[in-house]
Structures are given as C-alpha cells and as structure tokens.
Amino acid sequence: MTIVATFLLILYSILFFYVLDAVLRGKFEYVLLFSVIFFPIYALFLTFNYDAFELPILVNLIQYSKEIVIFGALGVWISGQRNMLNRKWEISFLDGLFLSFLVLSFIFFVLGVGEATFTNRAVYLKNILLIGIFYFFGRQIKIDFKYWDRVFNVIFIMTVLACGLIILERVFSTHFHTLVGYAKYNLHLKDFEPVGTYGLNWTFEAEGGRPRYGSFFANPLELSSSMLISVALSTIYLLSVPYKTNKSKYFVILACSFICVLLAYSRASFVAFFLMLIFIAFLMRYYKILKAAIAVAVCIVLYISFFAADEVRYFVIDTLTFQNSSSLTHIVDWLKAVESMLSNPMGIGLAMSGNAGGVEESLIVGGENQYLIYGVQLGFLGALIYIGMLFFGIRDSWRAFRLSRSRQEAVIPFVAASVKFGLLLPLFTANAEAYIYVSLISWWFIGYAETIYQRNKKYQVLS
C-alpha cells in the first residue's frame, strides 16, 4: 500500500507543479483541467494517503494544495491586469447577485456572527469564495475549444473509470472506501465514529441495509450528482456528431453515467437524471428525448410494480409517502432549519448549518437542504440571493445556448443550464455545494455561459 501511495503522490506532485507553472505563465485554463482531474478523487486521495503514511501534516498539504492553485491563479490574474481600477467592468445582473452573496458572507465573517470559531468561519467563507472564484474564472478566462475538448475527454474518461470501479464494487459486494482508509481517516482526523452495516457511515447504505457505492468519489451522493455533468455532455455530443461510431461512444458514456447513478442508489439524483433529460428535450427542441425518457420511466415503474423484489417496492412506496427513516430525517432537518430562519430571519452566522468544511457537528442547525442551509446561516436574504443565482444562471445559460452562433459555442451553455437544472432536486436533500467537483465545475460553466450570453445579446442588438 505504501508503495502505491508513494507512486500516486509523485504523480499528483507532478500534476500540481505542472499546473502551478502553467498558471504562473498566465495559462489560467489549466486550473479547470486540474479541477476535473483532481476533484473527483480528492476525498479518497486524502484518506488513502493518511491510511498509508498516517501523517496529518501530509493530509493538510494535499488539502490546501488546491487552494494554492486556485487562489494563486486569482492572484496572478489580478496582478497581470493593467489599470484594473480604471477598467470599465460590464456587470450583469447575475454578476451582481454573485457579488452580493460574497459581500454578505464576508460581512457575516467580519462581524463574527454565530457560535462557530473564527477558524471554522474562515474555512466556510473560503468554501463560499471558491464558488465565486470559479464563476469569475468562467466569466474572465477565454478558452479555445480545442482545450475544452481536452477537458471534456478527461470528464469522459473519469466517468468510464468511475463506472468500471462501481461495477467491481457491486460484483464483489465491497465498498472501495473500506480499502482506502475512509473510516480510519474520519475517526482519527474528524472524530467521526464508523456507523452503519459497512463500517463507513449511513450514506453508504439505503433503507434495509442495501449497499450504496461511491466509486472513487467522496460518497455515493457526490458520485450520483457529479454524473449529471457527464449526462449533459454525452447527450449533446450524442445528438450532434454525424458518425455512428462516435454516437456509440457517447451512448456508452451516457450508459456509464446511468449505471453510476443506479448503483449509488440516490433517489434525488435518479429522479434528477430523468428531469434533466426532459429539460434537455425542451432546450434542444428534440422531443424524441422526451419520449425516450418517458418510455424508460414507464418501464421502471412497471418493473417495480410487477417484477422487483418486495423490499425494493416497499422502499419506493415508503419514499414517496415519506415513511422511511431517510425521508423522515430530511423532513426533521428541514423543519429545524425553517424554525431557525423564522426565529432568526437575519441568519445565525457562517459554519452553523450543513456538513461542509468548517462546520462542527455540535453546532449544526438543519443541514439536509442547500437552500435552507444558506438561509439558516445568512438569513432569508442569503437564501433568496442564492436561489436568484441558480435561477438567472440557468435562464441566461438557456438564452446563451439559443443565441450561440456555432455548435462548439453552444456546448458550454447547454451543459451549464442542464447541470444546474438537474441539481435543483439534489440541492433539496443534501449540502450539494460541498460536492466540489460538480459544484465548482458547473459554476465555471455558468460563468462562461454568462459571458457568451452577454456578448451575443449585444451582438444581436447591434445587428
């Protein structure tokens, strides 16, 4: 194990310094490439290194290496701008919402609102800043489509690898997380006792003890949500490329994404998968997708009704009627969050809800709904701004897709709108902004789509 961990650590070090060198030379698009390579394996890379070396300082170095790349890129970009203060900034309404959200979070941090420690509030603020930075990078960094192609290929490769690993997990009935020190890492560094049938945590099992697999992602919920990116990308390529060979390739990737969602056993992502396909059908005005999605959904309903095992049928019924323990937990947490917001409409402070970095378990209020998580911490104003960011991000990306002047230009707005729409449901049941891969990459896409929309809107007016 130590030999494998050392080899992987060397590979990561090469990637880190290669990207850092590129960033220092002004190639900021390498931050995106670094993210799509590293973010999917980030959590398990930490646990595996701790399991092999048992050095907390090494874990900390790996953890904050991503911040060195991201904040370093931001610093280099700012330092490379001439007459930045005199520059004429074209601020869109969506830009204003992002700025408002970041400023509001910073005010809460400076004022020290809440019971969380200064360090925990700083960590939580950093996580919020990452959202703003990735959106900002999307708005400001021009990327050639050939480079986008490289990024997409990495995403496709990661999807196929994730699918291969999750199939092996299913075949051998073994969670990969049990092999790479997941429980040991959480116990020693986070003080979380292993729970559940599989000695990990409750996220890895569904009602009745049915296993949920997470491949090399942090957990099954993050895996299933992240597959929405692959679904959107593979769908637009599947419908756009002219040759059957290429279509087959993208169909395989789409199938791999579906298998990952299926074996992750995430109800919200499973439903989101079909809702996103319906959204895509209207976005592309390609209603065969709508028919296919409905046909598959009907087949699944018929299978569950007449052929599935009783435990599966009862699981679905209990989910729809909110009678299983997982659904009840969601409802209880939602009610706690709503009660907190009604009692403290201005918010109770950063790092007081959810399960993202910097949140102490003893202080958590609510935490099973991203909209309410921000509402608890930043008040009704914070929740409304966040919902506005999602709404206008999806709307502007939709319009950017409609106004795009080429298929290549249309890809990013299409993926941005589709993924953010698909995430709307998982955001109701999880702290999904903590899933750094799907969260940050999709915000970059939203920022890039916003730039396309503002440019083409202006072009349309002039023409």
Side-chain angles (χ1 to χ4, degrees):
M1 178 183 287
T2 305
I3 295 174
V4 175
T6 302
F7 176 71
L8 293 177
L9 194 57
I10 291 172
L11 286 180
Y12 174 68
S13 300
I14 293 171
L15 173 66
F16 171 75
F17 286 110
Y18 176 73
V19 171
L20 197 60
D21 176 66
V23 166
L24 292 173
R25 289 186 284 112
K27 297 183 177 181
F28 303 108
E29 64 271 20
Y30 277 76
V31 176
L32 181 60
L33 184 64
F34 171 81
S35 301
V36 296
I37 293 173
F38 184 53
F39 285 0
I41 64 170
Y42 168 69
L44 289 198
F45 190 66
L46 295 179
T47 68
F48 187 57
N49 276 280
Y50 182 74
D51 193 39
F53 303 110
E54 295 192 0
L55 294 173
I57 189 172
L58 176 61
V59 172
N60 290 333
L61 286 173
I62 296 171
Q63 275 184 311
Y64 289 101
S65 63
K66 70 181 189 302
E67 275 78 15
I68 292 173
V69 169
I70 296 166
F71 285 98
L74 179 64
V76 172
W77 187 90
I78 292 173
S79 65
Q81 302 302 304
R82 295 180 180 179
N83 301 320
M84 188 171 177
L85 295 177
N86 296 325
R87 176 179 172 179
K88 184 179 178 181
W89 296 88
E90 295 183 359
I91 307 296
S92 69
F93 185 73
L94 182 57
D95 296 339
L97 289 173
F98 266 89
L99 287 170
S100 300
F101 192 70
L102 296 177
V103 168
L104 182 63
S105 302
F106 187 73
I107 290 173
F108 270 74
F109 171 72
V110 170
L111 295 179
V113 179
E115 300 177 33
T117 65
F118 175 85
T119 301
N120 287 349
R121 285 187 284 111
V123 170
Y124 203 92
L125 177 65
K126 180 263 298 180
N127 295 333
I128 290 178
L129 289 176
L130 288 177
I131 293 173
I133 290 171
F134 269 68
Y135 173 79
F136 176 80
F137 282 161
R139 286 285 276 136
Q140 298 297 326
I141 297 173
K142 296 180 180 179
I143 300 179
D144 185 84
F145 191 78
K146 290 182 179 179
Y147 195 88
W148 275 116
D149 239 3
R150 190 186 303 181
V151 171
F152 297 158
N153 285 331
V154 172
I155 292 173
F156 291 146
I157 291 169
M158 284 293 185
T159 303
V160 173
L161 292 176
C163 180
L165 181 55
I166 204 171
I167 289 173
L168 289 175
E169 288 183 284
R170 179 68 179 86
V171 169
F172 293 101
S173 298
T174 301
H175 289 89
F176 182 62
H177 293 66
T178 62
L179 307 177
V180 293
Y182 180 87
K184 178 181 176 181
Y185 172 86
N186 283 331
L187 178 61
H188 290 185
L189 298 187
K190 295 188 175 182
D191 199 28
F192 291 161
E193 291 282 350
V195 294
T197 307
Y198 306 102
L200 297 168
N201 63 42
W202 295 117
T203 308
F204 290 86
E205 61 184 273
E207 197 78 10
R210 180 181 294 269
R212 307 166 76 177
Y213 300 108
S215 190
F216 47 71
F217 283 77
N219 56 61
L221 299 181
E222 180 167 344
L223 167 67
S224 56
S225 295
S226 298
M227 287 301 106
L228 297 179
I229 295 178
S230 304
V231 171
L233 267 177
S234 56
T235 300
I236 190 170
Y237 274 93
L238 179 64
L239 299 177
S240 302
V241 294
Y243 303 112
K244 288 185 178 180
T245 304
N246 288 336
K247 286 183 181 292
S248 299
K249 180 176 73 172
Y250 297 119
F251 181 79
V252 168
I253 295 168
L254 182 61
C256 285
S257 305
F258 181 72
I259 289 170
C260 288
V261 172
L262 196 63
L263 295 181
Y265 223 84
S266 169
R267 293 157 297 180
S269 295
F270 187 77
V271 175
F273 180 93
F274 288 98
L275 290 178
M276 192 169 80
L277 288 179
I278 294 170
F279 177 84
I280 287 171
F282 285 104
L283 182 60
M284 297 191 73
R285 296 170 181 168
Y286 196 89
Y287 300 110
K288 288 183 180 179
I289 300 177
L290 182 60
K291 294 176 182 177
I294 293 173
V296 172
V298 169
C299 289
I300 291 173
V301 170
L302 292 174
Y303 170 77
I304 292 173
S305 301
F306 299 106
F307 302 104
D310 288 342
E311 62 182 43
V312 175
R313 190 178 303 114
Y314 294 143
F315 174 75
V316 173
I317 293 171
D318 288 345
T319 298
L320 294 175
T321 56
F322 291 95
Q323 292 183 15
N324 65 14
S325 58
S326 177
S327 299
L328 289 173
T329 300
H330 288 319
I331 292 175
V332 170
D333 279 326
W334 295 346
L335 291 175
K336 288 180 180 177
V338 170
E339 182 182 4
S340 174
M341 290 175 65
L342 292 175
S343 302
N344 303 276
M346 300 297 291
I348 62 174
L350 296 179
M352 294 290 290
S353 183
N355 55 10
V359 180
E360 288 187 18
E361 190 173 5
S362 60
L363 298 177
I364 294 175
V365 178
E368 294 286 340
N369 181 312
Q370 186 66 70
Y371 311 102
L372 296 179
I373 287 169
Y374 284 139
V376 168
Q377 298 179 92
L378 301 172
F380 281 97
L381 178 60
L384 289 173
I385 294 174
Y386 176 69
I387 292 170
M389 287 159 54
L390 291 170
F391 174 80
F392 287 99
I394 295 169
R395 188 203 69 172
D396 289 1
S397 297
W398 176 297
R399 292 179 175 178
F401 175 77
R402 288 275 186 257
L403 294 175
S404 294
R405 289 171 283 176
S406 68
R407 185 191 68 83
Q408 291 182 341
E409 186 179 75
V411 171
I412 300 302
F414 174 87
V415 175
S418 302
V419 172
K420 280 305 183 189
F421 180 84
L423 283 171
L424 292 178
L425 184 59
L427 287 169
F428 270 100
T429 60
N431 190 170
E433 292 293 358
Y435 305 158
I436 59 172
Y437 170 68
V438 65
S439 170
L440 298 182
I441 299 302
S442 60
W443 282 125
W444 187 307
F445 285 7
I446 287 288
Y448 201 85
E450 180 70 8
T451 297
I452 293 174
Y453 172 57
Q454 295 300 327
R455 182 183 67 233
N456 288 352
K457 183 175 68 170
K458 185 184 297 184
Y459 177 82
Q460 188 182 44
V461 171
L462 292 176
S463 62

